[in-house]
């Protein structure tokens, strides 16, 4: 296979949803289609269950398992499919945001009864801002849920999308008879038997054919005809270009648990979803088919073995071929590094590979060289954009609880921050260190890992901060005045950028009004 063909056959994507909408179940069914796993239940362990929030050891155990399930790859109809796992737990939302910088498209799963939920809104917003192509899968059609048209409206309004259904349900819940596949022009009948993997598919391109009555009954046939007429009248026809540029989102209906509507989704996905796309570096736009290798680190996972501090850095290959044992430039450190055992991921296994192609993810063993966002190249100076930090939701001072272990503590904090577990801010006034996180759970994770991996102990102290804002300003009088008056609330992030720690929404608003030329941003980067 040529280099170009290798790129063309790759589909790297993420599945996003609010917890419990069915992301894990759908992932598992997709893997079944690829023949990558033999039985249902194999992927279940990759999610952090809600019940586990209080059980810290359980979370650590599952984090370990999730190394293997961070990337699930399989071959389907000759396409190499890479699913990047995005943690559903909201305390790990930042992990998910970062993973979204490494996908070429996404599938959004929505529960038919619950409709659009909070976590989905946040994640879709990030995808929308980046024009990532999205396919929507409305799940759990075997249950009573919202009316299909109402749901499509909700998706458009709450998520700001422009949808067009590519399948449409025939009945719902108790009366669910199947779906009409608009994309392939056939009917899939629902047997309601979850043990049966493949449903019955009947080709049907002329809905006025009276045979429809015989297949689904008179009432359902009339309803389907009316509904499809409405679909045609209200929604624009599917346009692949619009989907690829992020301005139209096709919608599928189905039931992941019953493996219903999943094959249709997958078949359409491999046809329309993009192969690896060009990526912007600060210096220039990089095309996947360029000869020279380049890639960036979007995730770092600590090893579960506390005896050695080995970590796995996940690199998305943007261009060229990655080869084992070849020296590559670590751009930030200006250092050449060689990797003797790069891991590739296959279903739930990882194995050492000799070469990987654009769209693929390689896992590189790291002893502390990498931090999230780092770029590796064949020698060219490139810095990939787009791994921003978001304002944390929680803030606490971190104190050293064992004066003999100060060095270990700072090293530990430093490395955990590089992994993206949380963010560190150093107050301008007194140099005290503040840890900012998305969820309260991370404080437990940090404390535990500092103790077990670095032999250091810490305590926390609450700090009433509402939001961290990155400051951008001209060096003028107003900025100097802002710095003088707000000194108590100013800090530097780990990259040395100035951050304003607003103690309330009100003070944030007042500050903005008082110093209009000082720009306060909720992310560390201008274009998210
Ligand atoms: P998540 O990864 O998005 O958090 O969701 P997950 O797949 O774990 O699904 C959440 C729950 O919804 C699971 O039930 C799962 O079996 C169920 N589910 C997924 N797809 C469908 C569907 O098409 N129809 C119906 N009726 N249910 C579906 P659970 O009871 O929480 O977990 P489990 O005991 O089945 O593992």
């Amino acid at each position: 296979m040529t280099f170009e063909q290798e790129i063309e056959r790759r589909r790297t994507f993420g599945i996003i949803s609010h917890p419990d909408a069915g992301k894990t179940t759908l992932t598992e069914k997709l893997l079944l289609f690829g023949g990558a796993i033999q039985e249902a239940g194999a992927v279940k362990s990759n999610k952090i269950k809600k019940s586990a929030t209080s059980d810290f050891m359980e979370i650590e155990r599952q984090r370990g398992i999730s190394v293997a399930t961070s990337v699930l790859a399989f071959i389907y109809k000759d396409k190499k499919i890479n699913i990047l796992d995005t943690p559903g737990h909201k305390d790990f939302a930042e992990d998910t945001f970062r993973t979204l910088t490494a996908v070429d498209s996404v599938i959004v799963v929505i529960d038919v009864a619950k409709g659009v939920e909070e976590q989905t809104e946040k994640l879709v917003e990030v995808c929308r801002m980046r024009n990532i192509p999205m396919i929507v899968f409305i799940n759990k059609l075997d249950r009573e849920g919202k009316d299909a048209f109402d749901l499509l409206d909700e998706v458009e309004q709450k998520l700001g999308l422009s949808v067009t259904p590519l399948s449409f349900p025939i009945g719902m819940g108790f009366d669910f008879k199947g779906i009409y596949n608009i994309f392939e022009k056939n009917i899939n009948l629902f047997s309601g038997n979850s043990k049966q993997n493949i449903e019955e598919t009947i080709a049907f391109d002329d809905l006025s054919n009276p045979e429809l009555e015989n297949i689904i009954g008179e009432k359902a046939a009339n309803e389907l005809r009316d509904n499809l007429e409405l679909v045609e009248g209200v929604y624009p026809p599917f346009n692949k270009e619009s989907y690829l540029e992020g301005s139209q989102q096709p919608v599928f209906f189905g039931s992941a648990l019953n493996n219903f509507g999943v094959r249709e989704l997958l078949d359409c996905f491999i046809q329309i979803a993009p192969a690896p796309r060009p990526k912007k570096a600060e210096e220039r736009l990089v095309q996947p088919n360029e000869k020279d290798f380049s890639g960036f680190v979007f995730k770092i996972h600590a090893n579960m073995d506390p005896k050695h501090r080995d970590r796995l850095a996940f690199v998305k290959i943007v261009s060229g071929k990655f080869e084992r044992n070849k020296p590559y430039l670590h751009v930030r450190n200006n250092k050449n590094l060689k990797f003797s055992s790069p891991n590739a991921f296959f279903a739930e296994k990882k194995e050492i590979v000799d070469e990987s192609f654009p769209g693929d993810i390689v896992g590189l063993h790291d002893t502390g060289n990498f931090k999230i966002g780092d770029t590796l190249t064949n020698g060219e100076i490139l810095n990939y954009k787009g791994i921003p930090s978001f304002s944390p939701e929680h803030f606490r001072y971190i104190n050293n609880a064992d004066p003999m272990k100060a060095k270990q503590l700072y090293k530990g904090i430093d490395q955990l921050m590089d992994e993206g577990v949380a963010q560190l801010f150093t107050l301008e006034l007194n140099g005290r260190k503040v840890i900012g996180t998305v969820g309260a759970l991370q404080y437990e994770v940090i404390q535990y890992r500092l103790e077990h991996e670095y032999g250091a102990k810490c305590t926390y102290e609450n700090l009433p901060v509402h939001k961290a804002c990155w400051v951008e300003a001209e060096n003028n009088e107003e900025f100097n005045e802002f710095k003088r008056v707000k000194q108590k609330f100013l800090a530097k992030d780990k990259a040395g950028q100035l951050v304003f720690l607003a103690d309330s929404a009100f003070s944030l608003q007042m500050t903005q009004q008082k110093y209009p030329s000082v720009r306060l941003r909720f992310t560390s980067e201008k274009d998210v």
Side-chain angles (χ1 to χ4, degrees):
M1 208 175 291
T2 64
F3 176 55
E4 259 80 16
Q5 285 167 332
E6 286 287 4
I7 299 174
E8 179 33 46
R9 72 197 277 255
R10 277 164 169 76
R11 302 282 182 275
T12 303
F13 76 107
I15 304 180
I16 56 176
S17 72
H18 193 85
D20 277 348
K23 183 168 72 74
T24 314
T25 313
L26 179 64
T27 308
E28 192 172 279
K29 301 297 163 166
L30 292 174
L31 288 175
L32 280 172
F33 276 109
I37 51 169
Q38 302 309 322
E39 58 184 299
V43 191
K44 268 283 169 231
S45 46
N46 89 353
K47 74 175 207 177
I48 294 170
K49 287 261 180 197
K50 266 178 292 171
S51 58
T53 43
S54 54
D55 183 351
F56 184 66
M57 283 317 292
E58 178 61 7
I59 291 167
E60 274 298 298
R61 192 183 66 76
Q62 297 195 10
R63 271 170 52 85
I65 293 165
S66 75
V67 174
T69 54
S70 288
V71 185
L72 295 156
F74 63 95
I75 310 275
Y76 178 71
K77 295 195 173 166
D78 214 32
K79 297 278 187 286
K80 165 93 189 285
I81 297 173
N82 296 315
I83 308 181
L84 305 196
D85 183 43
T86 53
H89 197 294
K90 90 174 189 340
D91 285 11
F92 294 94
E94 201 155 346
D95 239 18
T96 301
F97 291 137
R98 282 191 294 255
T99 300
L100 290 178
T101 63
V103 301
D104 296 304
S105 71
V106 304
I107 292 179
V108 184
V109 182
I110 291 172
D111 181 322
V112 69
K114 296 198 178 131
V116 173
E117 295 171 90
E118 189 197 337
Q119 194 73 356
T120 322
E121 270 182 73
K122 283 194 194 150
L123 295 169
V124 167
E125 196 185 335
V126 174
C127 296
R128 229 184 39 225
M129 285 195 275
R130 292 170 180 269
N131 301 322
I132 298 178
M134 287 181 253
I135 298 180
V136 178
F137 182 73
I138 297 188
N139 189 28
K140 307 197 185 180
L141 264 284
D142 58 314
R143 284 197 190 158
E144 287 306 325
K146 300 188 181 186
D147 170 74
F149 286 108
D150 289 349
L151 252 178
L152 292 171
D153 275 357
E154 190 178 327
V155 169
E156 291 211 315
Q157 274 156 26
K158 282 202 183 161
L159 298 180
L161 303 182
S162 304
V163 299
T164 187
L166 284 187
S167 77
F168 208 84
I170 308 170
M172 187 182 290
F174 185 70
D175 276 335
F176 182 52
K177 294 204 164 47
I179 49 174
Y180 183 72
N181 187 334
I182 301 173
F183 189 64
E184 291 177 3
K185 298 216 177 332
N186 56 33
I187 293 175
N188 295 293
L189 291 181
F190 180 57
S191 67
N193 176 2
S194 61
K195 290 197 182 64
Q196 192 177 318
N197 274 340
I198 310 296
E199 70 275 15
E200 190 182 352
T201 303
I202 304 167
F204 212 92
D205 56 4
D206 178 13
L207 284 175
S208 60
N209 187 336
E211 185 57 22
L212 189 63
E213 269 80 356
N214 294 337
I215 302 173
I216 57 174
E218 195 181 326
K219 187 166 162 276
N222 286 333
E223 243 174 53
L224 178 64
R225 288 191 187 107
D226 288 350
N227 284 342
L228 289 178
E229 206 173 298
L230 202 55
V231 166
E232 234 172 71
V234 174
Y235 298 100
F238 172 66
N239 179 313
K240 190 170 163 184
E241 287 314 307
S242 309
Y243 156 71
L244 288 175
E245 69 190 24
S247 57
Q248 188 187 62
Q249 290 76 25
V251 179
F252 281 86
F253 291 83
S255 164
L257 187 64
N258 293 288
N259 204 356
F260 191 80
V262 178
R263 185 194 60 77
E264 290 70 20
L265 172 73
L266 183 59
D267 280 342
C268 174
F269 171 81
I270 58 167
Q271 270 189 54
I272 67 171
R277 308 206 291 173
K279 190 163 173 78
K280 258 193 205 149
E282 270 165 34
E283 294 76 10
R284 64 184 184 88
L285 186 70
V286 180
Q287 300 292 338
N289 61 0
E290 289 181 23
K291 192 171 96 284
D292 286 335
F293 160 75
S294 70
F296 65 95
V297 178
F298 67 94
K299 176 178 179 134
I300 295 179
H301 213 303
N303 200 312
M304 286 307 292
D305 186 352
K307 283 194 238 29
H308 37 91
R309 233 175 270 146
D310 188 12
R311 311 187 293 179
L312 205 57
F314 289 78
V315 174
K316 160 93 186 276
I317 301 177
V318 178
S319 68
K321 192 160 75 172
F322 175 91
E323 289 170 80
R324 186 156 86 97
N325 278 328
K326 203 171 159 183
Y328 290 120
L329 176 67
H330 181 299
V331 175
R332 183 175 52 88
N333 287 351
N334 190 23
K335 210 159 93 177
N336 277 322
L337 299 174
K338 258 203 279 195
F339 304 94
S340 60
S341 50
N343 283 295
F345 303 86
F346 204 78
E348 332 94 286
K349 293 193 294 285
K350 57 183 169 63
E351 50 197 43
I352 293 174
V353 281
D354 290 328
E355 51 181 40
S356 297
F357 295 90
D360 282 341
I361 311 299
V362 281
L364 304 177
H365 289 282
D366 171 42
T367 45
N369 286 312
F370 285 122
K371 74 183 200 189
I372 291 203
D374 279 351
T375 305
L376 276 181
T377 72
N378 239 2
E380 186 178 349
I381 307 288
L382 288 175
N383 287 285
Y384 282 111
K385 293 171 65 155
I387 305 205
S389 301
F390 291 81
S391 173
E393 305 280 324
H394 304 260
F395 298 82
R396 291 183 194 171
Y397 285 118
I398 183 162
N399 301 318
N400 185 3
D402 181 352
M404 303 297 287
K405 297 281 171 65
K407 222 171 112 199
Q408 285 88 333
L409 181 78
Y410 291 119
K411 180 162 186 196
I413 294 176
D414 200 47
Q415 294 207 344
L416 293 184
M417 299 306 125
D418 282 353
E419 272 179 40
V421 176
Q423 293 178 57
L424 179 72
F425 302 100
T426 308
L427 289 186
E428 290 275 88
L429 196 63
N430 52 18
R432 284 192 75 179
K433 301 210 178 302
V434 174
I435 302 261
T437 67
V438 178
L441 199 57
Q442 267 99 337
Y443 290 106
E444 266 183 76
V445 173
I446 293 167
Q447 199 164 36
Y448 178 91
R449 289 191 52 196
L450 283 174
E451 193 169 338
H452 288 82
E453 292 170 35
Y454 299 88
K457 285 202 169 77
C458 73
T459 57
Y460 298 114
E461 221 176 293
N462 266 335
L463 181 66
V465 172
H466 164 68
K467 277 260 160 19
C469 303
W470 280 264
V471 181
E472 200 186 319
E474 300 277 318
N475 220 346
N476 58 20
E477 223 168 278
E478 193 174 285
F479 182 41
N480 289 333
E481 174 69 5
F482 163 83
K483 281 198 290 194
R484 194 182 58 78
V485 176
K486 298 292 176 190
Q487 194 186 20
K488 213 173 101 194
F489 302 98
L490 293 179
K492 288 266 168 70
D493 72 2
K494 207 166 163 260
Q497 296 194 77
L498 189 66
V499 175
F500 172 56
L501 303 175
D503 56 357
S504 68
F506 178 70
S507 95
L508 183 59
Q509 202 186 354
M510 293 311 286
T511 309
Q512 261 162 342
Q513 273 172 16
K514 201 159 169 215
Y515 309 99
S517 76
V518 175
R519 264 200 70 206
L520 301 174
R521 282 186 276 110
F522 291 119
T523 70
S524 64
E525 223 178 63
K526 276 168 232 148
D527 53 328
V528 177

